[in-house]
Amino acid sequence: MDLAKIQYFLEAARLNNFTEAARKCHIAQTTMTKYISQLEKELGCRLFCREHRGVSLTAEGRRFYEGMKKICQEYQDLRGSLRLKQRKGLYLGIAMQEYIEARWLRRFEEDFPECKMYFSFHDIEALGESLGNGALDGFLFSDAQAMDLPFTCQRLFAIRQSFICSQALLDQYRTVGAVIAHLPFLTKSNSQDYVVKMRRTCGQVFGQPFEESRLCYSLSEQFLLLSLSQGFAILPMPEGDVYPGLSVIPLDDDFTEYAVLAYRPDSMTEELQKFLSLFSGMPEFAESDATEDAGRSQPLQGRQVFHEDED
């Protein structure tokens, strides 16, 4: 039995669907089906009941699933503990939707120059796997992203947001509320809870919730659609003329996102303890940097947006 491939079975059992499990495991559906059949032949029993809309575990399959899940977890824990004894430095994953606040990284380097940092950039699912097997000490993500993994999470600092749309849209509709009423919300977040929260917040702050949202798969796609006046976005971008043709308006605290660290307390390293010590007693980390933001315009409050030009 190949312990690496047993993840195919565990994923199929979790999802009750061979096709979806194959996609998650980045293999062909035929490969998944063939592997399950070989596994059943090796064990001498049926693991799944094949149904019209998917599959379900048999009694034997459920017993095998619970046992193998425990074995795989013990293997990952052992593997992780062995790796931790061999390597030095802080190993962090980054899943911050293609932007990241670097001030706290510089502070860590200044406070702990003897501790070298290593980074891995990937989606939350892949970073979760690396954290689970001990390759990472932890990973950072925005609370706008969906994260349903069995790790301890700690909020670190605020990520201030701005309303962004094309200048042409503001010239056409005059107010942010009117733009929200007529255009879709462009977001990279895969969290429906986040979209619902933004719809509600837009309604509370601007008196107009958006009706439609559109998922973008990269920052490049988001900016292309923004420049083509095909929607608006809420992003942590500074105000100014950095983005020709776009209007960037700072928002108030209602729209703030937070950077979150996911980690495993049972695999806490000395380096990660040092990293977390930076944020001890600092629930609003961004507030401690207020002097660095002094030159930034005041955030947009309530419904005070743009006014009609007087003739």
Side-chain angles (χ1 to χ4, degrees), residues 9-45:
F9 163 76
L10 294 177
E11 198 67 20
R14 185 178 71 86
L15 296 171
N16 291 322
N17 188 294
F18 287 176
T19 302
E20 184 64 18
R23 188 183 68 81
K24 290 280 188 179
C25 294
H26 307 290
I27 61 174
Q29 191 273 337
T30 53
T31 302
M32 173 67 72
T33 302
K34 183 178 179 180
Y35 170 74
I36 296 297
S37 297
Q38 290 174 340
L39 187 60
E40 289 178 326
K41 183 177 180 180
E42 180 181 345
L43 295 172
C45 64

Short mmCIF file of all heavy atoms in Angstrom, two decimals, residues 9-45:
data_model
loop_
_atom_site.label_atom_id
_atom_site.label_comp_id
_atom_site.label_asym_id
_atom_site.label_seq_id
_atom_site.Cartn_x
_atom_site.Cartn_y
_atom_site.Cartn_z
N PHE A 9 -7.79 8.04 -1.65
CA PHE A 9 -8.94 7.41 -0.99
C PHE A 9 -9.55 8.34 0.05
O PHE A 9 -10.78 8.49 0.12
CB PHE A 9 -8.51 6.11 -0.32
CG PHE A 9 -9.49 5.62 0.70
CD1 PHE A 9 -10.68 5.01 0.30
CD2 PHE A 9 -9.26 5.79 2.06
CE1 PHE A 9 -11.60 4.58 1.25
CE2 PHE A 9 -10.17 5.37 3.01
CZ PHE A 9 -11.35 4.75 2.60
N LEU A 10 -8.71 8.98 0.87
CA LEU A 10 -9.23 9.85 1.93
C LEU A 10 -10.02 11.01 1.35
O LEU A 10 -11.07 11.40 1.89
CB LEU A 10 -8.06 10.38 2.77
CG LEU A 10 -7.29 9.33 3.59
CD1 LEU A 10 -6.12 9.99 4.31
CD2 LEU A 10 -8.20 8.62 4.57
N GLU A 11 -9.55 11.56 0.23
CA GLU A 11 -10.26 12.68 -0.40
C GLU A 11 -11.57 12.21 -1.01
O GLU A 11 -12.60 12.89 -0.91
CB GLU A 11 -9.37 13.31 -1.47
CG GLU A 11 -9.78 14.71 -1.88
CD GLU A 11 -9.61 15.72 -0.76
OE1 GLU A 11 -8.84 15.45 0.19
OE2 GLU A 11 -10.25 16.78 -0.82
N ALA A 12 -11.57 11.04 -1.63
CA ALA A 12 -12.81 10.49 -2.20
C ALA A 12 -13.83 10.21 -1.11
O ALA A 12 -15.03 10.46 -1.28
CB ALA A 12 -12.50 9.21 -2.98
N ALA A 13 -13.36 9.71 0.04
CA ALA A 13 -14.26 9.43 1.16
C ALA A 13 -14.81 10.72 1.75
O ALA A 13 -15.97 10.78 2.16
CB ALA A 13 -13.51 8.63 2.22
N ARG A 14 -13.99 11.75 1.80
CA ARG A 14 -14.43 13.02 2.36
C ARG A 14 -15.47 13.71 1.49
O ARG A 14 -16.44 14.29 1.98
CB ARG A 14 -13.22 13.95 2.56
CG ARG A 14 -13.53 15.26 3.25
CD ARG A 14 -12.28 16.09 3.44
NE ARG A 14 -11.79 16.63 2.18
CZ ARG A 14 -12.22 17.77 1.64
NH1 ARG A 14 -13.19 18.47 2.23
NH2 ARG A 14 -11.72 18.21 0.50
N LEU A 15 -15.28 13.61 0.15
CA LEU A 15 -16.16 14.32 -0.78
C LEU A 15 -17.31 13.48 -1.30
O LEU A 15 -18.26 14.02 -1.89
CB LEU A 15 -15.32 14.83 -1.96
CG LEU A 15 -14.25 15.87 -1.63
CD1 LEU A 15 -13.36 16.12 -2.83
CD2 LEU A 15 -14.89 17.17 -1.16
N ASN A 16 -17.21 12.16 -1.12
CA ASN A 16 -18.24 11.25 -1.67
C ASN A 16 -18.42 11.43 -3.17
O ASN A 16 -19.53 11.36 -3.69
CB ASN A 16 -19.59 11.45 -0.95
CG ASN A 16 -19.55 10.98 0.49
OD1 ASN A 16 -18.93 9.97 0.80
ND2 ASN A 16 -20.18 11.72 1.37
N ASN A 17 -17.30 11.67 -3.84
CA ASN A 17 -17.37 11.90 -5.28
C ASN A 17 -15.98 11.68 -5.87
O ASN A 17 -15.03 12.39 -5.52
CB ASN A 17 -17.85 13.33 -5.56
CG ASN A 17 -18.13 13.57 -7.02
OD1 ASN A 17 -17.22 13.55 -7.85
ND2 ASN A 17 -19.39 13.80 -7.36
N PHE A 18 -15.86 10.70 -6.78
CA PHE A 18 -14.57 10.39 -7.37
C PHE A 18 -14.06 11.52 -8.27
O PHE A 18 -12.87 11.86 -8.27
CB PHE A 18 -14.65 9.10 -8.19
CG PHE A 18 -14.74 7.85 -7.36
CD1 PHE A 18 -14.91 6.61 -7.97
CD2 PHE A 18 -14.66 7.89 -5.98
CE1 PHE A 18 -15.00 5.45 -7.21
CE2 PHE A 18 -14.75 6.73 -5.20
CZ PHE A 18 -14.92 5.51 -5.83
N THR A 19 -14.96 12.11 -9.04
CA THR A 19 -14.56 13.16 -9.98
C THR A 19 -14.01 14.38 -9.25
O THR A 19 -12.96 14.91 -9.59
CB THR A 19 -15.75 13.57 -10.86
OG1 THR A 19 -16.23 12.42 -11.57
CG2 THR A 19 -15.35 14.64 -11.86
N GLU A 20 -14.75 14.82 -8.22
CA GLU A 20 -14.31 15.98 -7.46
C GLU A 20 -13.02 15.68 -6.70
O GLU A 20 -12.12 16.53 -6.61
CB GLU A 20 -15.41 16.41 -6.47
CG GLU A 20 -15.11 17.66 -5.68
CD GLU A 20 -14.98 18.90 -6.54
OE1 GLU A 20 -15.44 18.88 -7.70
OE2 GLU A 20 -14.42 19.90 -6.06
N ALA A 21 -12.91 14.47 -6.16
CA ALA A 21 -11.69 14.09 -5.45
C ALA A 21 -10.49 14.06 -6.39
O ALA A 21 -9.39 14.47 -6.02
CB ALA A 21 -11.88 12.73 -4.79
N ALA A 22 -10.70 13.57 -7.60
CA ALA A 22 -9.61 13.54 -8.58
C ALA A 22 -9.13 14.95 -8.90
O ALA A 22 -7.93 15.20 -9.02
CB ALA A 22 -10.08 12.83 -9.85
N ARG A 23 -10.07 15.87 -9.02
CA ARG A 23 -9.71 17.26 -9.30
C ARG A 23 -8.90 17.84 -8.15
O ARG A 23 -7.88 18.51 -8.37
CB ARG A 23 -10.96 18.11 -9.51
CG ARG A 23 -10.67 19.53 -9.99
CD ARG A 23 -11.95 20.34 -10.10
NE ARG A 23 -12.53 20.58 -8.80
CZ ARG A 23 -12.13 21.55 -7.97
NH1 ARG A 23 -11.14 22.35 -8.31
NH2 ARG A 23 -12.71 21.71 -6.81
N LYS A 24 -9.30 17.57 -6.92
CA LYS A 24 -8.59 18.07 -5.75
C LYS A 24 -7.18 17.48 -5.66
O LYS A 24 -6.25 18.14 -5.18
CB LYS A 24 -9.37 17.73 -4.47
CG LYS A 24 -10.66 18.49 -4.30
CD LYS A 24 -10.40 19.88 -3.76
CE LYS A 24 -11.70 20.58 -3.41
NZ LYS A 24 -11.46 21.94 -2.87
N CYS A 25 -7.05 16.22 -6.10
CA CYS A 25 -5.75 15.55 -6.02
C CYS A 25 -4.90 15.77 -7.27
O CYS A 25 -3.79 15.22 -7.38
CB CYS A 25 -5.95 14.05 -5.80
SG CYS A 25 -6.69 13.64 -4.21
N HIS A 26 -5.45 16.51 -8.25
CA HIS A 26 -4.74 16.84 -9.49
C HIS A 26 -4.39 15.57 -10.29
O HIS A 26 -3.28 15.43 -10.82
CB HIS A 26 -3.47 17.64 -9.20
CG HIS A 26 -3.70 18.85 -8.36
ND1 HIS A 26 -4.38 19.96 -8.83
CD2 HIS A 26 -3.39 19.12 -7.07
CE1 HIS A 26 -4.46 20.87 -7.87
NE2 HIS A 26 -3.87 20.38 -6.79
N ILE A 27 -5.34 14.65 -10.37
CA ILE A 27 -5.18 13.45 -11.18
C ILE A 27 -6.43 13.29 -12.04
O ILE A 27 -7.46 13.94 -11.80
CB ILE A 27 -4.97 12.18 -10.32
CG1 ILE A 27 -6.18 11.95 -9.41
CG2 ILE A 27 -3.68 12.28 -9.51
CD1 ILE A 27 -6.11 10.64 -8.64
N ALA A 28 -6.35 12.40 -13.04
CA ALA A 28 -7.52 12.14 -13.90
C ALA A 28 -8.56 11.32 -13.13
O ALA A 28 -8.22 10.54 -12.23
CB ALA A 28 -7.08 11.39 -15.15
N GLN A 29 -9.82 11.50 -13.52
CA GLN A 29 -10.89 10.74 -12.86
C GLN A 29 -10.71 9.25 -13.07
O GLN A 29 -10.99 8.44 -12.18
CB GLN A 29 -12.25 11.21 -13.39
CG GLN A 29 -13.45 10.70 -12.60
CD GLN A 29 -13.94 9.35 -13.06
OE1 GLN A 29 -13.69 8.97 -14.20
NE2 GLN A 29 -14.62 8.62 -12.19
N THR A 30 -10.22 8.86 -14.24
CA THR A 30 -9.99 7.43 -14.51
C THR A 30 -8.89 6.87 -13.61
O THR A 30 -8.96 5.72 -13.17
CB THR A 30 -9.59 7.23 -15.99
OG1 THR A 30 -8.49 8.10 -16.30
CG2 THR A 30 -10.76 7.55 -16.91
N THR A 31 -7.88 7.70 -13.31
CA THR A 31 -6.82 7.27 -12.40
C THR A 31 -7.37 7.06 -10.99
O THR A 31 -7.01 6.09 -10.31
CB THR A 31 -5.70 8.32 -12.36
OG1 THR A 31 -5.19 8.52 -13.68
CG2 THR A 31 -4.57 7.89 -11.43
N MET A 32 -8.25 7.95 -10.55
CA MET A 32 -8.88 7.81 -9.24
C MET A 32 -9.69 6.52 -9.16
O MET A 32 -9.57 5.74 -8.20
CB MET A 32 -9.77 9.03 -8.95
CG MET A 32 -10.60 8.91 -7.68
SD MET A 32 -9.61 8.91 -6.16
CE MET A 32 -9.08 10.63 -6.10
N THR A 33 -10.53 6.28 -10.17
CA THR A 33 -11.37 5.08 -10.17
C THR A 33 -10.52 3.81 -10.17
O THR A 33 -10.81 2.85 -9.44
CB THR A 33 -12.28 5.09 -11.41
OG1 THR A 33 -13.08 6.28 -11.39
CG2 THR A 33 -13.19 3.88 -11.42
N LYS A 34 -9.46 3.81 -10.98
CA LYS A 34 -8.57 2.64 -11.05
C LYS A 34 -7.88 2.40 -9.72
O LYS A 34 -7.77 1.25 -9.27
CB LYS A 34 -7.54 2.85 -12.16
CG LYS A 34 -6.61 1.67 -12.36
CD LYS A 34 -5.63 1.94 -13.51
CE LYS A 34 -4.68 0.76 -13.71
NZ LYS A 34 -3.72 1.02 -14.82
N TYR A 35 -7.44 3.46 -9.06
CA TYR A 35 -6.76 3.32 -7.78
C TYR A 35 -7.69 2.74 -6.73
O TYR A 35 -7.31 1.84 -5.97
CB TYR A 35 -6.21 4.66 -7.31
CG TYR A 35 -5.72 4.60 -5.89
CD1 TYR A 35 -4.52 3.97 -5.57
CD2 TYR A 35 -6.46 5.15 -4.84
CE1 TYR A 35 -4.07 3.87 -4.26
CE2 TYR A 35 -6.03 5.06 -3.53
CZ TYR A 35 -4.84 4.43 -3.24
OH TYR A 35 -4.41 4.33 -1.94
N ILE A 36 -8.93 3.24 -6.66
CA ILE A 36 -9.88 2.74 -5.67
C ILE A 36 -10.18 1.26 -5.91
O ILE A 36 -10.25 0.46 -4.97
CB ILE A 36 -11.19 3.56 -5.70
CG1 ILE A 36 -10.92 5.01 -5.29
CG2 ILE A 36 -12.23 2.94 -4.79
CD1 ILE A 36 -10.40 5.20 -3.89
N SER A 37 -10.33 0.89 -7.16
CA SER A 37 -10.59 -0.52 -7.50
C SER A 37 -9.42 -1.40 -7.07
O SER A 37 -9.62 -2.50 -6.52
CB SER A 37 -10.83 -0.67 -9.01
OG SER A 37 -11.99 0.04 -9.40
N GLN A 38 -8.19 -0.95 -7.31
CA GLN A 38 -7.01 -1.70 -6.90
C GLN A 38 -6.93 -1.81 -5.38
O GLN A 38 -6.55 -2.86 -4.84
CB GLN A 38 -5.75 -1.04 -7.45
CG GLN A 38 -5.58 -1.14 -8.96
CD GLN A 38 -4.39 -0.35 -9.48
OE1 GLN A 38 -3.89 0.55 -8.82
NE2 GLN A 38 -3.94 -0.69 -10.68
N LEU A 39 -7.27 -0.73 -4.69
CA LEU A 39 -7.24 -0.74 -3.24
C LEU A 39 -8.27 -1.73 -2.68
O LEU A 39 -7.98 -2.48 -1.73
CB LEU A 39 -7.51 0.67 -2.71
CG LEU A 39 -7.36 0.90 -1.20
CD1 LEU A 39 -5.95 0.57 -0.73
CD2 LEU A 39 -7.73 2.34 -0.84
N GLU A 40 -9.47 -1.74 -3.27
CA GLU A 40 -10.51 -2.68 -2.83
C GLU A 40 -10.08 -4.12 -3.07
O GLU A 40 -10.32 -5.01 -2.24
CB GLU A 40 -11.82 -2.38 -3.56
CG GLU A 40 -12.48 -1.08 -3.11
CD GLU A 40 -13.74 -0.76 -3.88
OE1 GLU A 40 -13.79 -1.08 -5.08
OE2 GLU A 40 -14.67 -0.19 -3.28
N LYS A 41 -9.42 -4.37 -4.19
CA LYS A 41 -8.92 -5.72 -4.50
C LYS A 41 -7.84 -6.12 -3.50
O LYS A 41 -7.82 -7.27 -3.03
CB LYS A 41 -8.37 -5.75 -5.93
CG LYS A 41 -7.90 -7.12 -6.37
CD LYS A 41 -7.43 -7.09 -7.82
CE LYS A 41 -6.97 -8.48 -8.27
NZ LYS A 41 -6.50 -8.46 -9.69
N GLU A 42 -6.97 -5.19 -3.15
CA GLU A 42 -5.89 -5.48 -2.19
C GLU A 42 -6.45 -5.79 -0.81
O GLU A 42 -5.96 -6.69 -0.11
CB GLU A 42 -4.95 -4.28 -2.12
CG GLU A 42 -3.79 -4.44 -1.15
CD GLU A 42 -2.89 -3.22 -1.09
OE1 GLU A 42 -3.00 -2.36 -2.00
OE2 GLU A 42 -2.09 -3.12 -0.14
N LEU A 43 -7.51 -5.07 -0.42
CA LEU A 43 -8.09 -5.27 0.91
C LEU A 43 -9.10 -6.41 0.96
O LEU A 43 -9.44 -6.90 2.04
CB LEU A 43 -8.78 -3.97 1.37
CG LEU A 43 -7.85 -2.77 1.59
CD1 LEU A 43 -8.66 -1.52 1.84
CD2 LEU A 43 -6.90 -3.03 2.75
N GLY A 44 -9.60 -6.78 -0.20
CA GLY A 44 -10.57 -7.88 -0.27
C GLY A 44 -11.96 -7.50 0.18
O GLY A 44 -12.72 -8.36 0.66
N CYS A 45 -12.32 -6.23 0.04
CA CYS A 45 -13.67 -5.79 0.40
C CYS A 45 -14.01 -4.52 -0.36
O CYS A 45 -13.15 -3.82 -0.87
CB CYS A 45 -13.78 -5.54 1.91
SG CYS A 45 -12.73 -4.19 2.51
#
